Amino acid sequence: MLTFRKALLLSACALTVIYFFQSSHSKATYPGDIEHYGKHGDMEAKDTAPTGSAPQPTKLYPPPRVVSKDKKTSQQTFNSVEGKSLQEQLRYLYPYDPDGKFPAYIWQTWKATPASGDFGDELRPQEASWTDLHPDFIHEVITDQTAVHLIRYLYASVPEILEAYNALPIPVLKADFFRYLILLARGGIYSDIDTMALKSAVDWIPSDIPPSSVGLIVGIEADPDRPDWKEWYSRRIQFCQWTIQAKVGHPALRSIVAAITEDTLRMKKLGILSKKKIDKSIVEFTGPALWTDMVFNYMNNPEYFKIDNGGKNITWEAFTGIETAKKVGDVVVLPITSFSPGVGQMNAKDIDDPMAFVKHDFEGA
C-alpha cells in the first residue's frame, strides 16, 4: 500500500531526476560554435512592444561570449567617456578584442525577408547560398523597418548615431551605414543580398595564417592599372564593401561609423542633407571610397601598427596585382578574384578559380 511517507519519498526522487536531467542539457553547445567562430548564447528577446506600435526586432543578437584568456581589460565607467569624442564612446561601447573569435553571423539587408512572397525569386539562389555553405552560422536578412529598431537598440547610448542614421535622405546611404554599424556592434560577415557565396568563409583565410590573428577581411574591388584610372574609379586600389568580415569593435569600423555620423550631422546643420544638396558623392560619403580610406588610415595608424618600412605609408602599391591573400597587421586583403570573380578585367579570374569566394551579381537596388 502506498503510504503518504512513501509517496513523498517517490516525489522527491522524481524531482531530483528531473533536476539532473535539465542540468545536463543546459550545457548544450551554442549555434555557431565551430573552429574559430564564436558562440552566440540566447538569441531570443521578449516582445515588449505595446499594442499598435511598430514591430520590434525579435532578436537582440548578442556578441560572442568569448574573452581572451591572456588579456586583462580595464572596465571604464560611463562617466569616464561622457563628453569624449565619438570614437572614444564607440571604443567603450564595443571594445575590440583582437584575440577573440569571429562571430558566426551572416548579415544581409533587403526590402523583405525570404519568408515573404515579396522577396523576389531572382534573389533566392544567392540568399540560400550563404545558408548552404554556412549551416552553423546565424544568417539574418534584415528589412529596412527592422534595421531602424535594431540600430536604436544597439546604439541607444550614442544619440548622435541614431540622429545621423535617421537623417540620411537616401536608402542607399542608410544601407551603407547599416553594414558598418552592425559589424561594429555584432561582427561576422556582411554581404549584399545579390551576392552568391562560392566558398565557406572558413576557407577565406589561408591555412598558414592563424584565424585568431585576423580581425578584418576585405577584398579588392578595383585595381585599375591604367593611366586614366581616375576617370573610372575613385581610388587606385579600392576595397569593396559589398562583402566584409570583421570582429566586434574593429577600429576601422569604429572610424568609418564616426566619420559618417559627423559628416551627416555637419550637412544637416548646414541645411544641405538632401538628395540634391549633399556635398559629397555617395561613393565618397558612405561607399567604397570612404571605406578604402578608413582601411588605409587604420593600416597607417601608429596606435595599432608599428611603422617599420623606412617610415613609408602603406599605400595601394602594397596590394596592386596580388593573386593571393596578403596580411597586414590584423587585416587580410584578398585579391580581386576573391570577391569580384568573372568581371573580365583587372586580372580577375573566373568563378571556378580557387581564390573565388563571393560573386556579386549587382542586382540589388
Side-chain angles (χ1 to χ4, degrees), residues 67-113:
V67 179
S68 295
K69 297 179 180 178
D70 302 328
K71 188 174 181 180
K72 295 182 179 179
T73 57
S74 57
Q75 181 66 44
Q76 290 180 289
T77 64
F78 180 78
N79 289 336
S80 67
V81 295
E82 194 175 11
K84 294 288 183 71
S85 69
L86 186 55
Q87 287 217 41
E88 285 301 315
Q89 294 179 58
L90 292 172
R91 187 198 296 264
Y92 164 77
L93 184 61
Y94 295 116
Y96 176 48
D97 180 7
D99 301 319
K101 296 183 179 183
F102 279 105
Y105 289 129
I106 296 170
W107 304 102
Q108 296 186 292
T109 59
W110 193 235
K111 303 165 188 175
T113 68

Side-chain angles (χ1 to χ4, degrees), residues 110 125 146 152 163 195 253 256 259 287 293 331 339:
W110 193 235
T146 300
R152 184 185 302 163
E163 182 183 356
T195 58
L253 290 166
I256 197 167
D293 291 348
V331 180
F339 292 165

